[in-house]
Amino acid sequence: MPKTKVEDVNQNFYDFKNADNFEFKMDKGLSEEIVREISSKKNEPDWVIEIRLKALEIYQKLELPVWGPDLSELNMDEISTYVKPKTEMKEKWEDVPEEIKDTFDKLGIPKAEHEYLAGVGAQYDSEVVYHSIKEELLKQGVIYTDIDSAIRDYPEIFREYFTKCVPLSEHKFIALHYAVFSGGSFVYVPKGVKLEMPLQSYFRLNSPESGQFEHTLIIVDEGASLQFIEGCSAPKYNKVNLHAGCVELFVKEGGYLRYSTIENWSKNMLNLNTKKAIVEKDAQVDWVSGSFGSKISMLYPMSVLKGENAKTEYTGISFAGKGQNLDTGFKVAHLAPNTSSVINSRSISKNGGIATYRSLVSILPNATGSKCSVTCDGLMLDDISRSDTIPVNNVETCDVEFSHEAKVGKISDEAIFYLMTRGLSEEDAKAMIVRGFANPISKEFPIEYAVEMNRLINLELEGSIG
Amino acid sequence: MEKLLKVEGVSAKVNDKEILKGLNLEIGKGETHIIMGPNGAGKSTLANVILNNPTYQKTSGKIFFDGKDITDEKVDEIAKSGIFMSFQTPEEIAGVSVFNFLRTAKGKIDGKNVNYFDFKEELEKNAKALKMKADMINRDLNVGFSGGEKKKDEILQMLTLKPKLAILDETDSGLDVDAIRTVSKGIQMFKNDENAVLIITHSTKILQALKVDFVHILVDGKIVYTGDGSLAKEIEENGYKRFEVGV
Ligand SMILES: Nc1ncnc2c1ncn2[C@@H]1O[C@H](COP(=O)(O)OP(=O)(O)O)[C@@H](O)[C@H]1O
Ligand SMILES: [Mg+2]
């Protein structure tokens, strides 16, 4: 019997380009002049420029990481770090220019806002073009705006938290981020305010040979609760695009934050993103993460369980197809007694894709009575793909419950045969097995996004029979 | 009349080891056939080869179903033409419920959309007849099922998909008396004059309520003897000694 072959997706829902129409596109490369120019375009106060320049200095000193995927193809001289779209930020959807509006329409953003979101932000290239939040939340003191507005309108609180979760020198690409950051979202949820519907920010990079460096800063105050969703995509170009965003999350005593990401960057994207949460006493942060796109990803969200009883859960899935190297995972630091973390990661690789799960669990001596459970599963759809797990665990106290389970295997020919005897084609059988494998993760997403995820999985598996 | 299934001189190997050695078998519409044979004789291999499992390579012979040559047909096409196989060891598929799986399968086999409510009603009725727990159809396919539950789930699939020919590979093995009776009842519910069953078994318990037309003895990759229903009882009592080569 000739074997059917599952090909890579050649037609991608997200792959539609607009002309590279911008108001301003920074010269390629990275220099003090360029950093100063970004800052002056934004009319920033001095303290922000100082951070940018210091970050640039650190960036120039730091080496590329010595582990993980090969990043040698990244040449900052070929990347434009700032592309200003032809519009200011709007608060009414009608006011957004047609072409950009059309992009987000295609991605379903305004419809989602209308149906199940409490607020929406939309970024196009380097700047946020639309931000809105429901009236009643404003009245309760919730802030949801872009970073430039936050620097201008809420300078004290912004300055108090900015760079305090992820410092400039954490690694080379975070230094780069702070040198040229632009766009992103700022959220503040006051004490005791619980949002029932999620906020969502969507990031679209349209401009070729450019980078997106959005910064997301979220503060969930004592006893407050928030669900935040982040989506990202880009059309595919032949040259490398770069994404080096940063997410800083602060969750105060008794607060709750659920941070979900569906990432489907185009397959010419280097996605070097940094996300971290500081979780205080009795607070909880849950991360839900689906990584489908990009050529190379290095993405390891981190929870710092700082206060007693702090909790975190990480649920993540990555799908690496042809030419993709997705190096993802999770880091957690247990710093206080009775903290708990649950990590559940799944990765799928196909057509030579590489999916690596990398994790770092640190349980410090005074984190007594803490719990940590790690499960990571890898599913390879053929013999040329790779799935690896690289866990590092530093457990420095005996008084913990720690468990670690890792399984990596190839999709079972017998399971495919079984489903085919029930009338499913080989492709359908594989898709069913993959969706089933992903199911424990997909069901952690809000329902609309679980549907989206299944669609992405189907897209990844779709193809002609050869 | 044209036979429903014709296996003509089929030889097959797995990992370069020849297992079926020129096997012949014919099954007509409405008939009930039994295959018995010692462990390792090639019974499961025969079932797999009829469904063209790519793990097994056919080296000679042809297989016809409903007048069509299905020797090199794709597995799902064979299933859609009306052959079903109940697995000796059913696969576990995590994250996919029995309900969703069977609804998808039913749509593929029938080639048309499945009415949700009719489907649900029939599935629940059949599951009940097979004495399956009510929550069973919402659980992941075969995951954590006991041996007996897995076999009942196979019969449930047969009742749902309504094939023209059902091959049941040791569906009764390892089941307690009550479960065997339930499975046997499921086969009776399925069986009519238009379809056929091929039951691979070591015991006659599952056969008691069925009208058996032919019993085949499969030894060393070939059918060495074919008799009527009474042969099954004799085998159960005396074993395969008199059919084995060199005895
Ligand atoms: N997938 C396989 N890989 C290797 N050997 C196999 C495989 N399937 C069957 N065999 C071998 O073929 C022979 C017949 O097996 P099988 O058809 O399962 O016998 P039966 O069902 O009659 O007990 C046995 O020797 C068995 O080990
Ligand atoms: Mg067998």
Side-chain angles (χ1 to χ4, degrees):
Chain A
M1 189 183 92
K3 278 246 170 190
T4 54
K5 238 171 79 192
V6 180
E7 298 288 352
D8 274 296
V9 198
N10 43 19
Q11 238 194 334
N12 197 320
F13 172 80
Y14 300 89
D15 188 18
F16 56 93
K17 299 177 174 98
N18 292 338
D20 195 15
N21 279 337
F22 42 80
E23 187 179 297
F24 173 82
K25 186 165 181 172
M26 184 66 75
D27 292 342
K28 291 177 186 173
L30 188 61
S31 64
E32 184 177 330
E33 206 185 330
I34 281 172
V35 169
R36 281 187 188 279
E37 197 174 342
I38 292 173
S39 189
S40 75
K41 292 246 172 235
K42 291 172 176 289
N43 273 323
E44 284 171 349
D46 287 348
W47 72 270
V48 180
I49 304 174
E50 277 158 27
I51 286 178
R52 289 186 185 276
L53 293 175
K54 191 163 166 226
L56 178 66
E57 210 185 302
I58 295 172
Y59 170 78
Q60 281 157 346
K61 274 191 213 138
L62 288 176
E63 300 292 327
L64 286 172
V66 292
W67 47 272
D70 178 14
L71 298 173
S72 56
E73 69 185 296
L74 174 62
N75 179 0
M76 281 313 291
D77 297 339
E78 293 298 320
I79 300 268
S80 168
T81 52
Y82 181 72
V83 184
K84 183 170 166 39
K86 274 191 161 162
T87 177
E88 300 300 319
M89 191 180 85
K90 304 295 182 195
E91 271 154 25
K92 284 208 187 96
W93 188 243
E94 306 89 84
D95 298 341
V96 176
E98 209 52 47
E99 187 184 58
I100 296 179
K101 205 158 63 177
D102 189 49
T103 297
F104 289 107
D105 269 335
K106 281 186 192 152
L107 296 167
I109 308 303
K111 188 166 169 283
E113 172 181 11
H114 181 67
E115 287 169 4
Y116 52 84
L117 297 172
V120 160
Q123 177 162 342
Y124 193 81
D125 293 331
S126 296
E127 293 291 359
V128 174
V129 295
Y130 174 68
H131 239 288
S132 86
I133 178 165
K134 288 211 176 348
E135 196 61 41
E136 68 259 31
L137 294 174
L138 277 180
K139 286 189 193 129
Q140 289 176 281
V142 177
I143 302 169
Y144 180 40
T145 188
D146 69 301
I147 294 289
D148 291 351
S149 307
I151 293 173
R152 191 183 59 231
D153 302 339
Y154 310 98
E156 272 159 32
I157 182 164
F158 185 83
R159 196 170 174 177
E160 185 184 341
Y161 289 94
F162 184 63
T163 73
K164 302 301 189 305
C165 179
V166 179
L168 274 55
S169 56
E170 191 147 304
H171 58 79
K172 189 168 177 77
F173 295 101
I174 202 64
L176 171 66
H177 168 87
Y178 280 118
V180 295
F181 75 91
S182 180
S185 295
F186 173 71
V187 184
Y188 173 74
V189 186
K191 278 185 194 171
V193 174
K194 294 184 194 308
L195 272 69
E196 271 157 32
M197 291 198 286
L199 299 177
Q200 175 182 282
S201 285
Y202 200 97
F203 303 100
R204 176 77 176 176
L205 182 55
N206 182 68
S207 188
E209 298 183 276
S210 62
Q212 199 166 53
F213 305 93
E214 85 288 350
H215 196 92
T216 301
L217 175 58
I218 298 179
I219 302 152
V220 175
D221 216 329
E222 292 172 16
S225 147
L226 170 70
Q227 280 192 61
F228 191 87
I229 301 166
E230 158 189 83
C232 18
S233 70
K236 184 166 163 68
Y237 295 105
N238 291 328
K239 296 221 172 127
V240 163
N241 274 16
L242 172 65
H243 176 235
C246 176
V247 173
E248 297 188 281
L249 310 177
F250 297 87
V251 184
K252 303 290 179 176
E253 187 169 333
Y256 177 79
L257 173 59
R258 188 175 183 86
Y259 196 93
S260 307
T261 307
I262 288 222
E263 173 270 301
N264 192 36
W265 291 120
S266 55
K267 286 164 192 171
N268 60 313
M269 181 69 91
L270 304 186
N271 181 34
L272 310 171
N273 212 12
T274 308
K275 302 179 180 186
K276 200 197 276 187
I278 294 179
V279 195
E280 305 282 353
K281 183 165 182 277
D282 297 325
Q284 179 162 349
V285 168
D286 292 340
W287 302 89
V288 184
S289 165
S291 299
F292 293 88
S294 85
K295 181 173 191 184
I296 293 174
S297 270
M298 293 179 77
L299 175 62
Y300 326 95
M302 176 173 194
S303 284
V304 179
L305 304 177
K306 194 175 161 205
E308 215 168 310
N309 268 322
K311 289 188 175 57
T312 194
E313 275 185 37
Y314 170 82
T315 314
I317 189 157
S318 61
F319 194 137
K322 189 173 179 177
Q324 288 184 278
N325 186 343
L326 305 186
D327 205 277
T328 62
F330 188 63
K331 295 190 280 188
V332 59
H334 291 254
L335 306 184
N338 303 318
T339 48
S340 100
S341 59
V342 177
I343 300 167
N344 187 0
S345 147
R346 304 213 153 185
S347 62
I348 301 158
S349 54
K350 125 172 192 277
N351 278 5
I354 304 172
T356 305
Y357 170 80
R358 207 182 282 275
S359 69
L360 175 62
V361 173
S362 312
I363 304 181
L364 296 196
N366 68 327
T368 50
S370 291
K371 288 182 192 154
C372 170
S373 115
V374 183
T375 319
C376 45
D377 287 340
L379 180 67
M380 293 172 279
L381 299 194
D382 49 49
D383 295 323
I384 55 168
S385 302
R386 258 175 54 198
S387 238
D388 295 322
T389 62
I390 308 175
V392 176
N393 304 312
N394 298 324
V395 182
E396 297 177 20
T397 165
C398 302
D399 182 17
V400 286
E401 275 177 49
F402 178 75
S403 70
H404 181 103
E405 223 180 290
K407 268 201 312 282
V408 173
K410 214 196 118 188
I411 193 166
S412 148
D413 288 337
E414 285 308 304
I416 294 169
F417 173 64
Y418 182 70
L419 295 180
M420 288 179 78
T421 66
R422 272 47 170 168
L424 279 74
S425 67
E426 183 174 347
E427 265 180 63
D428 289 340
K430 284 184 177 173
M432 182 176 272
I433 294 166
V434 170
R435 278 198 308 272
F437 177 79
N439 186 52
I441 313 288
S442 2
K443 70 183 186 204
E444 293 297 315
F445 283 95
I447 178 76
E448 293 79 7
Y449 298 85
V451 171
E452 167 76 358
M453 237 186 75
N454 276 337
R455 213 175 57 79
L456 281 172
I457 289 174
N458 288 344
L459 258 178
E460 291 290 336
L461 291 166
E462 205 172 76
S464 54
I465 293 173
Chain B
M1 200 184 71
E2 184 70 54
K3 289 286 181 190
L4 188 58
L5 177 78
K6 277 202 280 188
V7 179
E8 291 181 352
V10 165
S11 298
K13 57 183 189 180
V14 58
N15 297 339
D16 284 327
K17 182 179 156 203
E18 186 158 63
I19 297 165
L20 298 185
K21 301 167 182 173
L23 187 141
N24 295 295
L25 177 68
E26 290 194 350
I27 296 177
K29 238 191 205 174
E31 295 174 355
T32 298
H33 289 240
I34 309 301
I35 289 187
M36 302 181 93
N39 290 332
K43 303 183 294 297
S44 295
T45 301
L46 173 62
N48 277 280
V49 163
I50 291 172
L51 278 137
N52 202 13
N53 184 339
T55 307
Y56 300 80
Q57 292 88 48
K58 292 192 202 76
T59 50
S60 67
K62 289 219 164 293
I63 302 175
F64 297 90
F65 185 71
D66 234 358
K68 215 177 97 203
D69 184 348
I70 58 159
T71 316
D72 296 314
E73 195 60 88
K74 286 208 182 91
V75 181
D76 52 317
E77 294 302 328
I78 296 173
K80 284 191 246 178
S81 70
I83 306 184
F84 174 87
M85 163 180 176
S86 165
F87 282 57
Q88 186 169 353
T89 330
E91 292 291 321
E92 300 184 1
I93 312 289
V96 181
S97 70
V98 173
F99 185 94
N100 285 336
F101 155 68
L102 262 181
R103 195 167 158 227
T104 307
K106 180 76 178 158
K108 300 285 178 191
I109 296 277
D110 292 358
K112 59 177 190 226
N113 278 341
V114 181
N115 179 297
Y116 180 87
F117 295 101
D118 295 348
F119 172 79
K120 186 164 187 280
E121 193 182 321
E122 190 185 337
L123 187 66
E124 283 169 354
K125 189 193 81 195
N126 287 335
K128 202 168 167 197
L130 293 170
K131 301 197 165 100
M132 294 171 77
K133 286 188 208 109
D135 72 333
M136 211 76 190
I137 58 173
N138 296 318
R139 283 174 55 186
D140 285 5
L141 182 56
N142 294 329
V143 178
F145 287 20
S146 71
E149 287 169 336
K150 281 184 184 167
K151 297 301 179 70
K152 284 184 182 179
D153 181 46
E154 296 288 284
I155 297 299
L156 179 68
Q157 294 180 36
M158 174 183 77
L159 289 172
T160 305
L161 301 178
K162 301 189 176 58
K164 292 180 191 148
L165 169 66
I167 303 171
L168 308 180
D169 189 1
E170 297 205 23
T171 304
D172 53 346
S173 292
L175 300 193
D176 62 37
V177 200
D178 288 338
I180 292 180
R181 208 171 290 141
T182 310
V183 163
S184 182
K185 192 179 143 211
I187 302 170
Q188 286 174 64
M189 282 167 63
F190 165 72
K191 191 70 192 64
N192 60 38
D193 291 345
E194 292 299 307
N195 61 27
V197 286
L198 172 61
I199 301 173
I200 299 169
T201 182
H202 289 294
S203 120
T204 56
K205 284 197 202 77
I206 194 174
L207 309 177
Q208 272 156 15
L210 303 173
K211 184 188 141 300
V212 174
D213 300 296
F214 298 97
V215 176
H216 310 277
I217 309 301
L218 199 164
V219 178
D220 192 25
K222 283 194 288 281
I223 289 186
V224 294
Y225 189 84
T226 297
D228 63 16
S230 65
L231 181 58
K233 195 81 205 152
E234 191 210 314
I235 297 288
E236 193 174 44
E237 280 158 17
N238 303 324
Y240 304 104
K241 274 276 178 300
R242 77 176 169 102
F243 302 105
E244 287 192 57
V245 227
V247 176

